[in-house]
Amino acid sequence: MSGKAGTLYDLKGAQRGAADPHENVWLSASAGTGKTQVLTARAFRLLLRGDVRPENILCLTYTKAGATEMANRINGQLAQWVLLDDGALGKDLAAIGAAATPENRTAARKLFARLLDAPGGGLQIMTIHSFCQRLLASFPAEAGLVPGFAAMEERDAADLAQEVLAELALSAEAHGDEAMIAALQQLSLNDGEEGTERFLAKCAAEPLAMAALPQIADDRRRWCRTLIGVDFEGDAHDWLRAQVTDGAFDRRFLDAYLAYQVQWGTATAQKRIAPITAWLAASPEVRAETLAEVQGAWMTKAGTPAKQQAKAIEAEAQDTAAMLCDWSGGLLSAVAKADYSDRLAEALRAGQAYARLYEAAKRTRGLVDFDDLVRETARLLRSEGIGQWIAYKLDQRIDHVLVDESQDTNAAQWDIVRALTQDFFAGEGAHGDAVRTLFTVGDFKQAIFGFQGTSPESYAAARVEFAAEADAVGRGFAELDMADSFRSNLPILTAVDAMIAAQGQEAFGLTEPIPRHGATRPDHGEVVLAQPFVAAVADDEDA
């Protein structure tokens, strides 16, 4: 239970409000603004209330390192308080916003012993995955898991993924499943070995979604085309041939454009006349195959209408080039979308089979991965009957939930937080009218786990939902911002503010203006932006 105690600095402004143990708080805290100091101060203030036992507090962090750091800070500080004289202890209490009364000093000296005597040996500070594993271990049958299941580490998951992929390929070969073999080969060609493994891993992480997708090849292909916005059936190249057949498109624009080039008569115009003339004389099959090439006569490599410099007809020719760009670009875009959606449908054939094998392999070995832990916990807590009973059992102990790095909490994890706090704002929990609180702290600018399902929209939606629930029972939900950095200096923070302003608050899933950052360090520093460069696109137009 030993840990290193840090210096307790005086909480200021939003920091002091965020540590108030009687308030529900949604805290936005930029990097370097004292987030960890506020978290630990709030935990101290909760314990000092007297009606809160250590086991009543659940702190969910995003990483094991974060959980360890917070536990060490709290344990170390409480151990230090046992021996501090009244003056030093009173100063620490004042720093966290607590009254430095004799009663509080006596209570503070007893907190370390209370942690040692608490069930489990102290505060519940853990990652959300650890919490899920502990809960599921208590209710394995209800969750449909093998009793004594084990959570896979990253290395175990990588080894199992390789085994399942090998099994999928060998099974397809043994059963002569040419479609599956082709799907795996196409995946490998498109994405390479690592890309294929990543795609299949994403499919395995969503077994319910894979099971819900159409299982029949034609249905799956139609589903993918609808998803991507393809409004025709059949082979994409057959469709394109039909679109470029005489009578299927309005040749007047192409004939007019050709006439403009003849009238212009320059070397650039001659370079355009020849391919257009040859294309019009070709069969529909050749036209479909060469449309991408011939559109270079009216479209630049950058995808814009080619320049027209014959002064007498410049405006008309330019307008016609723009219409041809829309026509040919639309056709080729539709073909590209259809090709992509068909490749996706075949990739999902492999993804669905891989997800089934991966799930079966985990069950056979009694293993679960991190996605399983969160998904099954959320499903269990949402289940009619058993979910309410489990929530009630948890409700008998958890009165205060603290969520760290909340910007990295995905939709399923927010479901778990909702289930844990559903009675906090209803007055129907096991602890009756006791003041129970939810505290979240996060920074939308540090939401870097989109690949795991996190998003600014989920973060913002959770904020609105919890605030509405608290307001409905007259509790309120304080929305606070900590933007004064103790780590960075003003020039760097000014650059950050400028980039955020350029994107706009909506890009971060926010509806309110984003507060500007402040700095406590001296006003010096430098932000160097390297000049970006791109490969130049050759312009073959006449000067």
Side-chain angles (χ1 to χ4, degrees):
M1 295 294 297
S2 63
K4 182 180 179 181
T7 301
L8 290 180
Y9 298 99
D10 288 342
L11 298 181
K12 299 178 181 178
Q15 291 180 328
R16 186 167 289 258
D20 188 333
H22 296 88
E23 297 293 333
N24 298 297
V25 174
W26 190 280
L27 177 63
S28 176
S30 299
T33 58
K35 177 199 71 172
T36 305
Q37 185 90 348
V38 169
L39 265 172
T40 53
R42 186 176 179 90
F44 296 147
R45 295 281 302 277
L46 284 168
L47 291 170
L48 285 169
R49 272 179 39 172
D51 60 342
V52 179
R53 301 188 302 275
E55 61 269 27
N56 296 150
I57 302 172
L58 172 63
C59 181
L60 298 174
T61 67
Y62 196 76
T63 64
K64 291 181 180 179
T68 300
E69 178 187 3
M70 186 174 180
N72 285 344
R73 282 200 183 201
I74 291 175
N75 294 334
Q77 193 68 60
L78 295 185
Q80 183 173 297
W81 280 357
V82 174
L83 302 175
L84 284 184
D85 60 49
D86 283 353
L89 181 53
K91 184 177 180 181
D92 275 359
L93 292 175
I96 64 174
T101 61
E103 293 79 13
N104 272 352
R105 290 198 298 269
T106 299
R109 290 195 173 95
K110 294 179 179 180
L111 289 181
F112 188 62
R114 287 180 62 193
L115 254 64
L116 292 175
D117 293 338
L123 295 178
Q124 302 179 81
I125 304 174
M126 62 188 73
T127 66
I128 197 163
H129 294 104
S130 297
F131 171 78
C132 292
Q133 184 174 356
R134 191 184 67 174
L135 185 146
L136 292 174
S138 300
F139 305 98
E142 291 81 357
L145 299 174
V146 177
F149 68 86
M152 287 192 295
E153 296 296 332
E154 188 173 331
R155 178 61 181 271
D156 298 326
D159 290 343
L160 185 61
Q162 290 290 337
E163 291 179 23
V164 171
L165 180 56
E167 181 182 350
L168 178 61
L170 291 173
S171 177
E173 184 176 0
H175 293 87
D177 190 344
E178 298 295 335
M180 182 61 67
I181 293 173
L184 290 171
Q185 289 175 337
Q186 190 62 52
L187 258 177
S188 182
L189 286 172
N190 290 340
D191 300 336
E193 181 180 352
E194 291 185 1
T196 297
E197 291 175 354
R198 284 195 299 269
F199 174 81
L200 294 176
K202 289 181 179 179
C203 293
E206 298 293 343
L208 299 180
M210 290 297 103
L213 289 177
Q215 304 295 311
I216 299 174
D218 288 343
D219 293 342
R220 186 168 51 243
R221 183 163 51 251
R222 279 192 289 271
W223 183 88
C224 287
R225 286 196 175 190
T226 300
L227 175 70
I228 294 173
V230 179
D231 58 4
F232 63 85
E233 296 186 3
D235 182 81
H237 299 280
D238 288 343
W239 174 85
L240 181 59
R241 280 193 291 273
Q243 304 308 306
V244 296
T245 300
D246 285 340
F249 69 99
D250 192 342
R251 275 191 55 163
R252 289 177 299 173
F253 296 110
L254 196 52
D255 289 336
Y257 185 75
L258 189 59
Y260 291 138
Q261 304 309 305
V262 171
Q263 184 175 347
W264 187 14
T266 64
T268 295
Q270 293 301 322
K271 290 179 182 179
R272 297 172 180 174
I273 292 170
I276 295 174
T277 302
W279 190 84
L280 288 172
S283 66
E285 289 77 10
V286 174
R287 287 181 181 179
E289 292 173 0
T290 59
L291 179 59
E293 299 173 14
V294 75
Q295 77 171 353
W298 56 80
M299 181 188 291
T300 68
K301 292 180 180 179
T304 58
K307 294 179 182 178
Q308 312 296 317
Q309 296 178 337
K311 298 301 181 182
I313 56 171
E314 182 176 359
E316 294 86 350
Q318 201 70 49
D319 289 343
T320 305
M323 287 186 285
L324 289 174
C325 284
D326 291 341
W327 168 70
S328 62
L331 292 178
L332 292 172
S333 175
V335 170
K337 286 181 178 179
D339 283 343
Y340 176 80
S341 62
D342 291 350
R343 289 198 304 272
L344 175 60
E346 290 308 300
L348 287 173
R349 177 200 296 269
Q352 287 174 304
Y354 180 87
R356 287 193 296 270
L357 287 175
Y358 190 79
E359 193 69 15
K362 287 189 297 183
R363 298 285 177 175
T364 300
R365 294 165 171 80
L367 298 173
V368 295
D369 57 25
F370 285 170
D371 292 315
D372 293 327
L373 291 172
V374 173
R375 180 174 52 249
E376 293 303 323
T377 299
R379 183 189 62 78
L380 188 60
L381 291 173
R382 288 196 303 261
S383 299
E384 189 67 30
I386 186 64
Q388 285 86 343
W389 181 73
I390 292 172
Y392 175 78
K393 298 293 286 185
L394 293 172
D395 193 30
Q396 292 180 313
R397 292 186 59 186
I398 299 174
D399 282 340
H400 304 277
V401 175
L402 292 77
V403 183
D404 190 14
E405 303 291 358
S406 56
Q407 78 279 350
D408 293 327
T409 304
N410 62 31
Q413 293 167 349
W414 280 122
D415 283 345
I416 293 170
V417 175
R418 289 186 188 94
L420 293 173
T421 61
Q422 61 186 347
D423 290 331
F424 281 25
F425 312 113
E428 300 173 354
H431 294 184
D433 295 329
V435 176
R436 311 169 72 194
T437 63
L438 171 62
F439 170 90
T440 78
V441 57
D443 181 9
F444 61 89
K445 300 182 295 300
Q446 298 183 64
I448 60 174
F449 292 96
F451 64 93
Q452 293 183 356
T454 65
S455 69
E457 291 75 19
S458 295
Y459 180 58
R463 174 180 59 83
V464 171
E465 181 179 341
F466 285 120
E469 290 181 359
D471 287 341
V473 295
R475 286 288 313 282
F477 212 112
E479 297 185 26
L480 303 174
D481 290 288
M482 293 186 348
D484 290 335
S485 176
F486 300 94
R487 185 185 305 163
S488 296
N489 50 35
L490 194 57
I492 294 174
L493 296 173
T494 300
V496 172
D497 286 336
M499 288 186 284
I500 291 174
Q503 293 296 316
Q505 64 207 35
E506 296 81 5
F508 300 96
L510 302 176
T511 57
E512 300 296 327
I514 299 170
R516 297 183 66 81
H517 292 83
T520 59
R521 297 181 63 179
D523 186 12
H524 60 78
E526 184 179 29
V527 177
V528 178
L529 301 179
Q531 178 66 39
F533 64 92
V534 296
V537 177
D539 188 353
D540 62 354
E541 305 296 343
D542 286 351

